[in-house]
Amino acid sequence: MALAALLWEMVRLWWSNMNGAVLMVSVAAGGLWLAVFYLNDRKRKRNLWQQAGRDVIVVHCPSPGRFTPSLSPFVLKLLTFLRLAGLPHLVDHEEPFGPKGKTPWITLNGEDLTDSDLIIERLSRQYNIDLTDSFTAEQKAAAKAFTIMIDEHVCWCLRAWRFNEDGGRNLKEGMSLPFYKRLFFPLFIWQQRDALWHQGVGRHSHHAVRAMMKEDLLALSNYLGDKPFLMGDTACVADCSMFAFLANILYNYSRSPYYAVINEELSNLRPYVDRLKRQLWPDWDECLASA
């Protein structure tokens, strides 16, 4: 009996070791296959992007929304700038997040650039584009200040409503995603709420955030006045930011208090959005996700 038990234990150990070895080999083979697949797919995409032609900007971003060409104001900001500057570009939705994990990002002549502000600055230098050339020093300073206010404060106040108050419902309504991607939506909501908490706006009450956001909208409305663009007769990067965020409120935030503020209290903001939309986005409807 003792010998039989010893033999059985030897067989069991051998079999368990064999299973472990098989498992390790399988995992290694699977990892190698995934690596090869990723590299080949990456090469395929690079070749496809290069086919766009020299000096053609390939904008990488998520799929369009049902009501706006992008649910990301920063994507819409960059695309609006490219149209305003008349720069040749095309849009790619295969790889929306770039090397820094941010969207949008671009590929230009084989080089990767990320962050909408940095991209706009780089393109402006490279193609000698100065949308503020006719501005005074005071106007240039005001345009810079408003751009920062919109991108760094309005942005977080809107996110606070979208994720903390509305729970991401408006985002779901505006997205056109396959079912399997929607399974990860709760994780995405949690990530955004965590980011809001660490940024600071997410620590305030809904009432406090609404008050801050209304002050921002009032400042934009007061400075715009009856001018066609924020700084006067010429649109600039500040207008690209302002248009992108206001358009998101008007088309993706219809249940938010900010939608009511724009439509009922600040009467010059909606015509401003409509004016830029007609001028730079005549194909707006064609750029939306298909139903």
Side-chain angles (χ1 to χ4, degrees), residues 45 48-53 55-61 78-79 82-83 87-93 105-107:
K45 291 176 181 176
L48 186 64
W49 300 336
Q50 289 176 3
Q51 290 174 16
D55 293 332
V56 175
I57 302 157
V58 182
V59 181
H60 308 282
C61 58
L78 176 60
L79 293 176
L82 294 174
R83 288 169 176 247
L87 293 175
H89 65 280
L90 57 84
V91 180
D92 167 70
H93 302 300
W105 64 289
I106 69 167
T107 304

Short mmCIF file of all heavy atoms in Angstrom, two decimals, residues 45 48-53 55-61 78-79 82-83 87-93 105-107:
data_model
loop_
_atom_site.label_atom_id
_atom_site.label_comp_id
_atom_site.label_asym_id
_atom_site.label_seq_id
_atom_site.Cartn_x
_atom_site.Cartn_y
_atom_site.Cartn_z
N LYS A 45 -1.99 49.92 -39.93
CA LYS A 45 -2.57 51.24 -39.70
C LYS A 45 -1.61 52.35 -40.13
O LYS A 45 -2.01 53.34 -40.75
CB LYS A 45 -2.94 51.40 -38.23
CG LYS A 45 -4.10 50.52 -37.78
CD LYS A 45 -4.34 50.66 -36.28
CE LYS A 45 -5.48 49.76 -35.83
NZ LYS A 45 -5.68 49.82 -34.35
N LEU A 48 -1.65 52.72 -43.75
CA LEU A 48 -2.90 53.34 -44.18
C LEU A 48 -2.87 54.84 -43.95
O LEU A 48 -3.29 55.63 -44.81
CB LEU A 48 -4.08 52.72 -43.42
CG LEU A 48 -5.48 53.16 -43.84
CD1 LEU A 48 -5.77 52.73 -45.27
CD2 LEU A 48 -6.52 52.56 -42.89
N TRP A 49 -2.34 55.26 -42.80
CA TRP A 49 -2.27 56.69 -42.49
C TRP A 49 -1.32 57.41 -43.45
O TRP A 49 -1.58 58.54 -43.85
CB TRP A 49 -1.84 56.90 -41.05
CG TRP A 49 -2.76 56.28 -40.04
CD1 TRP A 49 -4.08 55.98 -40.23
CD2 TRP A 49 -2.43 55.85 -38.72
NE1 TRP A 49 -4.60 55.40 -39.09
CE2 TRP A 49 -3.62 55.31 -38.15
CE3 TRP A 49 -1.27 55.88 -37.95
CZ2 TRP A 49 -3.67 54.80 -36.85
CZ3 TRP A 49 -1.30 55.37 -36.66
CH2 TRP A 49 -2.49 54.84 -36.12
N GLN A 50 -0.22 56.74 -43.80
CA GLN A 50 0.75 57.37 -44.70
C GLN A 50 0.19 57.55 -46.10
O GLN A 50 0.62 58.43 -46.85
CB GLN A 50 2.03 56.53 -44.74
CG GLN A 50 2.85 56.61 -43.45
CD GLN A 50 4.07 55.71 -43.48
OE1 GLN A 50 4.34 55.07 -44.48
NE2 GLN A 50 4.80 55.67 -42.37
N GLN A 51 -0.79 56.73 -46.46
CA GLN A 51 -1.40 56.84 -47.78
C GLN A 51 -2.22 58.12 -47.93
O GLN A 51 -2.62 58.48 -49.04
CB GLN A 51 -2.29 55.62 -48.05
CG GLN A 51 -1.52 54.34 -48.25
CD GLN A 51 -2.43 53.12 -48.37
OE1 GLN A 51 -3.64 53.26 -48.59
NE2 GLN A 51 -1.88 51.93 -48.22
N ALA A 52 -2.47 58.80 -46.81
CA ALA A 52 -3.23 60.05 -46.87
C ALA A 52 -2.47 61.10 -47.66
O ALA A 52 -3.06 62.01 -48.23
CB ALA A 52 -3.51 60.56 -45.45
N GLY A 53 -1.14 60.97 -47.71
CA GLY A 53 -0.34 61.92 -48.47
C GLY A 53 0.48 62.82 -47.57
O GLY A 53 0.17 62.99 -46.38
N ASP A 55 1.89 65.93 -45.66
CA ASP A 55 1.30 67.13 -45.05
C ASP A 55 -0.21 67.03 -44.84
O ASP A 55 -0.85 68.04 -44.52
CB ASP A 55 1.61 68.39 -45.86
CG ASP A 55 3.10 68.73 -45.84
OD1 ASP A 55 3.77 68.38 -44.86
OD2 ASP A 55 3.59 69.33 -46.83
N VAL A 56 -0.78 65.84 -45.02
CA VAL A 56 -2.19 65.64 -44.69
C VAL A 56 -2.28 65.20 -43.23
O VAL A 56 -1.65 64.21 -42.84
CB VAL A 56 -2.86 64.61 -45.61
CG1 VAL A 56 -4.30 64.35 -45.15
CG2 VAL A 56 -2.84 65.09 -47.05
N ILE A 57 -3.02 65.92 -42.44
CA ILE A 57 -3.13 65.64 -41.00
C ILE A 57 -4.18 64.56 -40.78
O ILE A 57 -5.34 64.72 -41.18
CB ILE A 57 -3.52 66.93 -40.25
CG1 ILE A 57 -2.48 68.03 -40.51
CG2 ILE A 57 -3.68 66.67 -38.76
CD1 ILE A 57 -3.02 69.43 -40.32
N VAL A 58 -3.77 63.47 -40.14
CA VAL A 58 -4.71 62.40 -39.80
C VAL A 58 -5.10 62.58 -38.33
O VAL A 58 -4.27 62.46 -37.44
CB VAL A 58 -4.08 61.01 -40.02
CG1 VAL A 58 -5.11 59.91 -39.70
CG2 VAL A 58 -3.59 60.86 -41.45
N VAL A 59 -6.35 62.90 -38.10
CA VAL A 59 -6.86 63.12 -36.75
C VAL A 59 -7.45 61.82 -36.21
O VAL A 59 -8.38 61.27 -36.80
CB VAL A 59 -7.93 64.22 -36.73
CG1 VAL A 59 -8.44 64.45 -35.30
CG2 VAL A 59 -7.39 65.51 -37.32
N HIS A 60 -6.90 61.35 -35.10
CA HIS A 60 -7.38 60.12 -34.48
C HIS A 60 -8.29 60.48 -33.31
O HIS A 60 -7.88 61.22 -32.40
CB HIS A 60 -6.20 59.28 -33.98
CG HIS A 60 -5.15 59.05 -35.03
ND1 HIS A 60 -5.29 58.11 -36.03
CD2 HIS A 60 -3.95 59.65 -35.26
CE1 HIS A 60 -4.23 58.12 -36.82
NE2 HIS A 60 -3.40 59.05 -36.36
N CYS A 61 -9.49 59.95 -33.32
CA CYS A 61 -10.47 60.30 -32.29
C CYS A 61 -11.56 59.23 -32.24
O CYS A 61 -11.67 58.41 -33.15
CB CYS A 61 -11.06 61.67 -32.57
SG CYS A 61 -11.88 61.80 -34.18
N LEU A 78 -10.38 70.80 -32.10
CA LEU A 78 -9.30 70.61 -33.06
C LEU A 78 -9.84 70.56 -34.49
O LEU A 78 -9.28 71.20 -35.40
CB LEU A 78 -8.53 69.32 -32.75
CG LEU A 78 -7.43 68.95 -33.74
CD1 LEU A 78 -6.36 70.05 -33.82
CD2 LEU A 78 -6.78 67.62 -33.33
N LEU A 79 -10.92 69.83 -34.71
CA LEU A 79 -11.48 69.74 -36.06
C LEU A 79 -11.97 71.10 -36.54
O LEU A 79 -11.84 71.44 -37.72
CB LEU A 79 -12.63 68.73 -36.07
CG LEU A 79 -12.25 67.26 -35.83
CD1 LEU A 79 -13.48 66.39 -35.77
CD2 LEU A 79 -11.29 66.76 -36.91
N LEU A 82 -8.92 73.13 -37.61
CA LEU A 82 -8.41 72.69 -38.91
C LEU A 82 -9.25 73.25 -40.05
O LEU A 82 -8.72 73.63 -41.10
CB LEU A 82 -8.37 71.16 -38.96
CG LEU A 82 -7.38 70.48 -38.01
CD1 LEU A 82 -7.55 68.97 -38.06
CD2 LEU A 82 -5.94 70.86 -38.34
N ARG A 83 -10.55 73.31 -39.83
CA ARG A 83 -11.43 73.88 -40.85
C ARG A 83 -11.23 75.39 -40.95
O ARG A 83 -11.20 75.95 -42.05
CB ARG A 83 -12.89 73.55 -40.52
CG ARG A 83 -13.25 72.08 -40.75
CD ARG A 83 -14.61 71.72 -40.17
NE ARG A 83 -14.95 70.34 -40.50
CZ ARG A 83 -15.95 69.98 -41.31
NH1 ARG A 83 -16.72 70.90 -41.85
NH2 ARG A 83 -16.18 68.70 -41.56
N LEU A 87 -6.58 73.69 -43.20
CA LEU A 87 -5.52 72.68 -43.30
C LEU A 87 -6.10 71.34 -43.75
O LEU A 87 -7.13 70.89 -43.23
CB LEU A 87 -4.83 72.51 -41.94
CG LEU A 87 -4.02 73.71 -41.45
CD1 LEU A 87 -3.48 73.46 -40.06
CD2 LEU A 87 -2.88 74.02 -42.42
N PRO A 88 -5.44 70.68 -44.71
CA PRO A 88 -5.95 69.39 -45.21
C PRO A 88 -5.86 68.32 -44.13
O PRO A 88 -4.83 68.16 -43.48
CB PRO A 88 -5.03 69.07 -46.39
CG PRO A 88 -3.76 69.83 -46.09
CD PRO A 88 -4.19 71.07 -45.38
N HIS A 89 -6.93 67.59 -43.93
CA HIS A 89 -6.95 66.56 -42.88
C HIS A 89 -8.00 65.51 -43.19
O HIS A 89 -8.90 65.72 -44.01
CB HIS A 89 -7.25 67.20 -41.52
CG HIS A 89 -8.63 67.80 -41.42
ND1 HIS A 89 -8.93 69.04 -41.94
CD2 HIS A 89 -9.78 67.34 -40.88
CE1 HIS A 89 -10.19 69.33 -41.72
NE2 HIS A 89 -10.74 68.30 -41.09
N LEU A 90 -7.85 64.40 -42.54
CA LEU A 90 -8.88 63.36 -42.57
C LEU A 90 -8.99 62.77 -41.17
O LEU A 90 -8.09 62.93 -40.34
CB LEU A 90 -8.57 62.29 -43.62
CG LEU A 90 -7.25 61.52 -43.55
CD1 LEU A 90 -7.34 60.35 -42.59
CD2 LEU A 90 -6.89 61.00 -44.94
N VAL A 91 -10.09 62.09 -40.91
CA VAL A 91 -10.39 61.60 -39.57
C VAL A 91 -10.33 60.08 -39.54
O VAL A 91 -10.85 59.41 -40.44
CB VAL A 91 -11.79 62.08 -39.12
CG1 VAL A 91 -12.09 61.57 -37.71
CG2 VAL A 91 -11.86 63.60 -39.16
N ASP A 92 -9.66 59.55 -38.52
CA ASP A 92 -9.51 58.10 -38.34
C ASP A 92 -10.09 57.72 -36.97
O ASP A 92 -9.80 58.36 -35.97
CB ASP A 92 -8.03 57.71 -38.39
CG ASP A 92 -7.80 56.31 -37.89
OD1 ASP A 92 -8.21 55.36 -38.58
OD2 ASP A 92 -7.23 56.15 -36.78
N HIS A 93 -10.93 56.68 -36.97
CA HIS A 93 -11.57 56.23 -35.72
C HIS A 93 -11.04 54.88 -35.24
O HIS A 93 -11.51 54.37 -34.23
CB HIS A 93 -13.08 56.15 -35.89
CG HIS A 93 -13.72 57.44 -36.30
ND1 HIS A 93 -13.64 58.58 -35.54
CD2 HIS A 93 -14.45 57.77 -37.41
CE1 HIS A 93 -14.31 59.56 -36.14
NE2 HIS A 93 -14.78 59.10 -37.28
N TRP A 105 -5.47 62.87 -31.05
CA TRP A 105 -4.07 62.95 -31.38
C TRP A 105 -3.96 62.89 -32.90
O TRP A 105 -4.95 62.57 -33.56
CB TRP A 105 -3.26 61.84 -30.71
CG TRP A 105 -3.59 60.44 -31.14
CD1 TRP A 105 -4.73 59.73 -30.85
CD2 TRP A 105 -2.78 59.55 -31.92
NE1 TRP A 105 -4.67 58.47 -31.40
CE2 TRP A 105 -3.49 58.32 -32.06
CE3 TRP A 105 -1.52 59.66 -32.51
CZ2 TRP A 105 -3.00 57.23 -32.76
CZ3 TRP A 105 -1.01 58.57 -33.21
CH2 TRP A 105 -1.74 57.37 -33.32
N ILE A 106 -2.83 63.27 -33.44
CA ILE A 106 -2.71 63.30 -34.89
C ILE A 106 -1.44 62.59 -35.34
O ILE A 106 -0.49 62.42 -34.57
CB ILE A 106 -2.70 64.74 -35.45
CG1 ILE A 106 -1.40 65.47 -35.05
CG2 ILE A 106 -3.92 65.51 -35.01
CD1 ILE A 106 -1.17 66.78 -35.81
N THR A 107 -1.46 62.17 -36.59
CA THR A 107 -0.28 61.68 -37.28
C THR A 107 -0.01 62.62 -38.44
O THR A 107 -0.91 62.90 -39.24
CB THR A 107 -0.50 60.25 -37.81
OG1 THR A 107 -0.87 59.39 -36.73
CG2 THR A 107 0.78 59.70 -38.43
#
